[in-house]
Amino acid sequence: MTELTKAMCWELVSITKDTINGVGVATYRKPSSNDCYERRSKQEPPLCEASDDPNGAWNVPLKACMHKVPVDSLERGSQWPEKWPARLGKTPYWMLSSQVGVYGKPAPEDFTADYEHWKRVVSNSYLNGIGINWSSVRNTMDMRSVYGG
């Protein structure tokens, strides 16, 4: 594992071991630039081809390769997202007006319309539409409930 994470340019940040149950955790940091990738003497694991979309999510076969670190300031993944919960309703920096969204509008408008739609659905259906007084609901995900609660 040490050789693999080193070959992947991951930096070991810390190793901790729980004093109660003895479970250990190793925390790694991925590289923030492509310098390490370019200095590797052995290209294993390999870098992905430039044509491979690092943001592909649906019906995309898994490949045994690593994507380069995004360096363009508008490229997805080059900046940290907004803090929670502000990022729920804020259009991501990488969505550009020149891009067409899934509903045919410019991507930022599409995102905002989709967010507002689902905000209404959740509010009208789940929060207000099923007759539950949510202030009296406590611990709906009980951790002792064997199969998830």
Side-chain angles (χ1 to χ4, degrees):
M1 190 58 136
T2 302
E3 288 179 31
L4 176 61
T5 54
K6 187 175 181 180
M8 293 171 67
C9 297
W10 289 10
E11 176 191 349
L12 180 61
V13 175
S14 69
I15 299 176
T16 56
K17 190 171 185 179
D18 190 271
T19 55
I20 296 172
N21 63 15
V23 174
V25 174
T27 305
Y28 292 88
R29 180 181 303 134
K30 290 182 177 183
S32 56
S33 75
N34 291 305
D35 295 343
C36 178
Y37 294 147
E38 293 161 2
R39 288 193 312 262
R40 296 185 308 160
S41 58
K42 186 178 177 191
Q43 295 298 309
E44 282 296 322
L47 291 175
C48 298
E49 298 292 326
S51 61
D52 190 63
D53 181 6
N55 302 311
W58 295 97
N59 300 316
V60 178
L62 292 176
K63 296 180 182 173
C65 62
M66 301 181 304
H67 289 98
K68 284 190 167 187
V69 175
V71 290
D72 183 334
S73 65
L74 292 177
E75 195 174 353
R76 186 177 187 165
S78 65
Q79 300 175 33
W80 283 100
E82 292 288 324
K83 289 189 176 192
W84 186 266
R87 70 172 167 230
L88 284 174
K90 185 165 172 32
T91 305
Y93 67 89
W94 46 265
M95 282 191 169
L96 306 175
S97 294
S98 60
Q99 299 169 317
V100 178
V102 293
Y103 301 116
K105 300 176 188 172
E109 291 177 38
D110 226 29
F111 177 89
T112 302
D114 191 62
Y115 168 73
E116 292 298 332
H117 167 76
W118 285 107
K119 188 170 140 183
R120 275 190 308 279
V121 168
V122 169
S123 179
N124 294 337
S125 302
Y126 298 101
L127 298 180
N128 301 317
I130 57 177
I132 294 175
N133 177 2
W134 290 102
S135 65
S136 65
V137 174
R138 183 185 148 270
N139 197 10
T140 58
M141 290 298 288
D142 186 347
M143 301 311 285
R144 295 171 136 303
S145 63
V146 185
Y147 292 113

